[in-house]
Amino acid sequence: MAFDYKKEYREFYLPPKKPGIIDIPEMNYIAVRGKGNPNEPEGEYKAAMSMLYGIAFTIKMSYKGSHQIDGYFSYVVPPLEGLWWQENIQGIDYAHKETFQWIAMIRLPEFVTKEEFDWAIQEATAKKKTDFSKVEYFTYKEGTCVQCMHIGSYDSEPSTIGMMEDYAANQGYMPDFESGRFHHEIYLSDPRRTAAEKLRTVIRQPVRSAPAPE
């Protein structure tokens, strides 16, 4: 049976609908950076999806070709994820999606080294006749976060985030968007096939211990 990261690491991918504090270890990703509204039909985000999945499935299907990756095991491609931010804003302003900056990404299995990633870029470029130069091998150590499963449309996320922030504060934590830490989403539903009110999205916000009151 194929290894499924969602099932094997339920604490990261299938949290409850009530917020919790979690420490996320370092992970490696296929990633594409961009900016702008992700809903634009011909925008950067849509192009990023094609690039991400092109590399993800080149790696997944590599066992069928002549290039054998050391340590390869059968696995389900992990879900799409995204880091989101806007200049001079703490958190996310959903009213101005045109100012979004983002890193779209898919987790890499542990056996994929930088060298194997580079092979996949070359292989996909040659076979698909597509420019994959924007795709990068991205390592991210997320650290301590408040996390929650959001059920519903992406535009209704602020209510869930508010609940998460209240929970974190009650637990002695405060938001921490410094030093390359970002609002993080993991998309468990396909919006093309799922009603907006049933979409499942893991939401994470970086936090740190709040100073003790004087």
Side-chain angles (χ1 to χ4, degrees):
M1 181 178 292
F3 187 92
D4 189 336
Y5 283 87
K6 297 190 302 299
K7 295 179 180 178
E8 299 297 332
Y9 295 98
R10 298 179 66 88
E11 68 273 26
F12 299 151
Y13 298 101
L14 297 170
K17 289 183 283 185
K18 292 183 179 180
I21 302 296
I22 187 168
D23 191 65
I24 309 296
E26 183 175 280
M27 301 180 194
N28 296 322
Y29 297 87
I30 308 164
V32 177
R33 299 170 187 262
K35 57 186 177 181
N37 189 334
N39 298 321
E40 291 178 359
E42 304 301 325
E44 289 186 36
Y45 192 78
K46 183 178 179 181
M49 296 302 99
S50 178
M51 288 186 277
L52 284 177
Y53 283 102
I55 300 303
F57 280 96
T58 295
I59 295 170
K60 176 180 171 60
M61 305 307 293
S62 62
Y63 72 96
K64 290 190 173 183
S66 59
H67 183 87
Q68 300 297 300
I69 299 177
D70 187 40
Y72 180 95
F73 54 80
S74 178
Y75 67 100
V76 177
V77 172
L80 175 68
E81 307 186 33
L83 303 177
W84 300 86
W85 71 97
Q86 290 150 302
E87 293 295 332
N88 304 315
I89 292 177
Q90 283 261 336
I92 292 292
D93 178 2
Y94 288 81
H96 295 282
K97 296 177 182 178
E98 71 281 359
T99 65
F100 278 166
Q101 299 193 52
W102 42 262
I103 303 175
M105 56 196 198
I106 296 174
R107 183 177 179 175
L108 283 167
E110 291 74 11
F111 59 77
V112 181
T113 63
K114 177 61 166 59
E115 291 70 25
E116 297 294 359
F117 173 85
D118 290 341
W119 165 83
I121 295 290
Q122 295 174 2
E123 180 77 359
T125 299
K127 285 193 172 182
K128 299 178 183 295
K129 310 299 181 185
T130 301
D131 181 9
F132 287 95
S133 60
K134 289 186 177 181
V135 185
E136 62 182 275
Y137 183 89
F138 177 63
T139 300
Y140 188 51
K141 186 173 183 179
E142 198 159 10
T144 304
C145 299
V146 58
Q147 175 178 268
C148 187
M149 180 71 78
H150 171 74
I151 308 294
S153 71
Y154 303 132
D155 288 338
S156 67
E157 288 181 6
S159 61
T160 296
I161 293 171
M163 179 177 65
M164 293 165 61
E165 291 175 343
D166 290 344
Y167 172 84
N170 290 334
Q171 298 298 311
Y173 293 90
M174 61 184 292
D176 180 22
F177 290 98
E178 304 298 326
S179 304
R181 306 188 74 199
F182 306 107
H183 173 88
H184 187 173
E185 299 183 1
I186 303 175
Y187 307 103
L188 302 179
S189 306
D190 185 342
R192 299 169 300 178
R193 303 173 182 173
T194 307
E197 65 273 13
K198 295 183 179 179
L199 291 171
R200 295 189 305 155
T201 307
V202 180
I203 299 178
R204 291 185 193 145
Q205 298 268 74
V207 297
R208 60 182 171 88
S209 297
E214 297 181 0

